[in-house]
Amino acid sequence: MTEAPNPARMTPDPTAGLEGIVAATTRLSHVDGQNGVLILRGKRLEDLAGTISFEGAVRHLWQDLEIAGSDSLSAGFGQARIAAFQVVPLLEQAPPGLAVFERMQLGLAALPETNRPGDAATITGALPVLLAAAHRCAAGLPPLAPDSTLDTATDLLRMLTGVRPPQSHVEALNRYLVTILDHGLNASTFTARVIASTQADLKQAVLGAMGALSGPLHGGAPGPVLDMIDAIGHPDNATGWIGGALARKERLMGFGHRIYRTRDPRADVLKAGLKALGADNPKVQLAERIETAALAALRTAKPDRPLETNVEFYTAVLLDAIGIDRSLFTPLFAAGRTAGWCAHALEQQRTGKLIRPSSRYVGPPAA
Ligand code: COA
C-alpha cells in the first residue's frame, strides 16, 4: 500500500494559488492591480458603468468574437429568455430545499446543446429567467414569463417582483451588471477556460464557472457582507465588532483581493451608483462608517498587506438598496458574469489548445 501524501510535510509551494502566473492571453479584460484600474476591451470600467446598459456592455465585450446576433443583443437576449422559460417547469419540480443557485444550474443543464458561437447569447439571455424563476420557486411563488420586448435589467426585476421596476432601479442594476461583466483570469473565469479548452459544450463551461463562483472567497461574499452590516447594527459598534472578528482570525468579507494592492475600482463605481440612486438611508451611512473602521483595523492588523475594499462590499449595499434579497446576490453575480465566462470560453476554444498544467509530486517514491 502506498502512503498518502501528507500536506503537513509538503515544502511551501511558490506556485500555490498560481499567484503571478500568466495562464491565458486575452483581449477581453485587464486588471491592473497596482494602479486599481480595470480595462474592459480597451475601455476603463468608469467610462462604461453608469453610461451604458448591460446589452451595450456585452456587445462591446463580444465585438471581436464574431458571435452571431451580437449586433442586436436586445432582441437576441429577449428570444433567449422566451426559450429558457421552457425549462422552468423542471425548476418547479426540484426538491424544495434546493438553493436558488442550484436551481439555476439545473435549468442551465437542461437547455438544449449550446455548441455554436451564437449560443453565448442563448446562455447569457437564459440566466436572468432561471434566476427569477428559481427565486420564485424557492419562495413558493409561481414563476413569471419573460417579456422579450423589455431590456434584460427591466425584465429581470419585473420577473422577480411581478411589478414594473422604477427607472432608478433599472439604472442601478445595469450599473452593477456592467461592473461585474468581466475581470481577468479570476477563479471562475479560469475554470470556464479550462473546461472550454477540452472543447466541451459552452453551457458546461458556465456550469463549472458557477461552481467556482459559489465559494465565499470568490462570489459568495456579498451576502455575508450584509450579514456583517446587520450584526454591527450601529456605527458606534463598528470598531469593537471588527476588532473582535480580526482577533478571532476571521476574514472581513468585502475586503482584500488577490490582484488589487489598492482600492478595487469596482467598489467606487458601485458606491457612485448609490449616490445616483439617491440612497442616503441609515444603512448606507452605517456601511460607510463600517468601511472606514474596517480599513483602519486592517491597516493595523496587517501593516505589510494592503487590504482594501473590494467589489463585494458595495455590491451588497447597492443591491440591498434596490430591494434584491441577499440570497440572490451570488446568483445575480453569476447571471451578469455569464457574458464574460462565455467570451473567455470562446476565446480559449479558438486557441485549440488543451489546458493541462503539471504538478509537483511530493509523495513517496514507488516501492
Ligand atoms: N480580512 C482579514 N484578513 C484578510 C482578509 C480579510 N478580508 N483578506 C486577506 N487577509 C489576510 C489573510 O488572513 C492573510 O493573513 P496571514 O498572512 O496572516 O495568514 C493575508 O491577508 C493574505 O491572505 P491570502 O488569503 O493569502 O491572500 P489572497 O490574495 O489569496 O486573498 C481573498 C484574496 C479575496 C481570498 C481574501 O482577501 C479574502 O478572503 N477576502 C474576504 C472574502 C472576499 O471579500 N471575497 C471577495 C473577493 S472579490
Side-chain angles (χ1 to χ4, degrees):
M1 203 170 120
T2 50
E3 193 191 329
N6 179 351
R9 272 197 261 129
M10 287 185 187
T11 47
D13 186 345
T15 60
L18 302 184
E19 191 160 357
I21 308 277
V22 173
T25 300
T26 182
R27 290 179 59 81
L28 295 166
S29 61
H30 175 60
V31 182
D32 177 349
Q34 292 304 325
N35 297 305
V37 174
L38 168 58
I39 296 169
L40 292 167
R41 215 205 141 276
K43 285 196 186 292
R44 289 170 82 111
L45 171 65
E46 297 84 338
D47 296 330
L48 291 174
T51 65
I52 55 172
S53 65
F54 175 62
E55 284 82 355
V58 176
R59 190 177 310 115
H60 171 72
L61 189 72
W62 286 0
Q63 62 188 278
D64 297 328
L65 293 167
E66 292 158 5
I67 295 174
S70 59
D71 46 345
S72 56
L73 274 182
S74 298
F77 286 166
Q79 285 157 15
R81 290 200 299 279
I82 300 289
F85 199 64
Q86 302 295 314
V87 303
V88 163
L90 263 181
L91 276 58
E92 294 180 276
Q93 292 151 21
L98 207 65
V100 169
F101 202 76
E102 288 153 349
R103 281 177 205 259
M104 288 165 72
Q105 288 176 304
L106 185 68
L108 178 55
L111 290 183
E113 261 186 8
T114 50
N115 52 18
R116 297 160 304 145
D119 290 331
T122 308
I123 295 173
T124 306
L127 263 289
V129 174
L130 301 178
L131 188 162
H135 167 65
R136 291 183 67 89
C137 292
L141 297 166
L144 295 172
D147 178 344
S148 62
T149 64
L150 298 175
D151 60 277
T152 300
T154 306
D155 206 21
L156 173 52
L157 290 171
R158 188 197 59 81
M159 287 187 287
L160 282 170
T161 62
V163 292
R164 180 90 182 223
Q167 191 53 27
S168 59
H169 288 195
V170 173
E171 283 167 13
L173 181 57
N174 268 313
R175 177 186 286 264
Y176 169 73
L177 292 171
V178 173
T179 300
I180 53 101
L181 190 59
D182 199 40
H183 200 242
L185 204 58
N186 54 81
S188 56
T189 301
F190 183 48
T191 304
R193 289 191 80 119
V194 170
I195 295 173
S197 82
T198 71
Q199 304 295 330
D201 194 282
L202 193 56
K203 70 181 174 185
Q204 297 297 344
V206 176
L207 280 164
M210 287 180 76
L213 181 77
S214 66
L217 299 190
H218 189 5
V225 166
L226 209 54
D227 296 341
M228 173 179 74
I229 293 172
D230 288 346
I232 292 174
H234 190 277
D236 292 348
N237 301 335
T239 302
W241 193 99
I242 288 164
L246 291 179
R248 291 189 300 276
K249 303 276 176 222
E250 289 171 14
R251 289 182 180 219
L252 300 181
M253 292 293 135
F255 297 90
H257 198 271
R258 171 60 66 79
I259 306 284
Y260 291 119
R261 288 295 161 261
T262 179
R263 208 172 156 79
D264 181 338
R266 299 169 299 173
D268 285 332
V269 165
L270 295 178
K271 194 172 177 180
L274 280 164
K275 295 245 171 333
L277 199 58
D280 195 18
N281 58 44
K283 201 166 206 166
V284 174
Q285 290 163 13
L286 173 62
E288 286 177 340
R289 293 281 295 275
I290 292 172
E291 183 190 18
T292 306
L295 292 175
L298 286 168
R299 266 176 217 128
T300 307
K302 302 266 169 220
D304 302 329
R305 175 92 183 178
L307 293 170
E308 300 283 340
T309 315
N310 68 41
V311 64
E312 306 291 23
F313 190 81
Y314 281 106
T315 287
V317 188
L318 182 70
L319 295 183
D320 182 61
I322 61 168
I324 305 270
D325 188 81
R326 73 190 72 193
S327 66
L328 299 181
F329 291 174
T330 306
L332 192 54
F333 191 125
R337 181 58 64 83
T338 292
W341 290 331
C342 286
H344 277 272
L346 293 174
E347 198 181 54
Q348 181 65 40
Q349 272 179 355
R350 287 171 193 187
T351 69
K353 193 76 180 165
L354 175 72
I355 297 178
R356 202 304 184 191
S358 304
S359 48
R360 187 167 61 102
Y361 179 65
V362 295

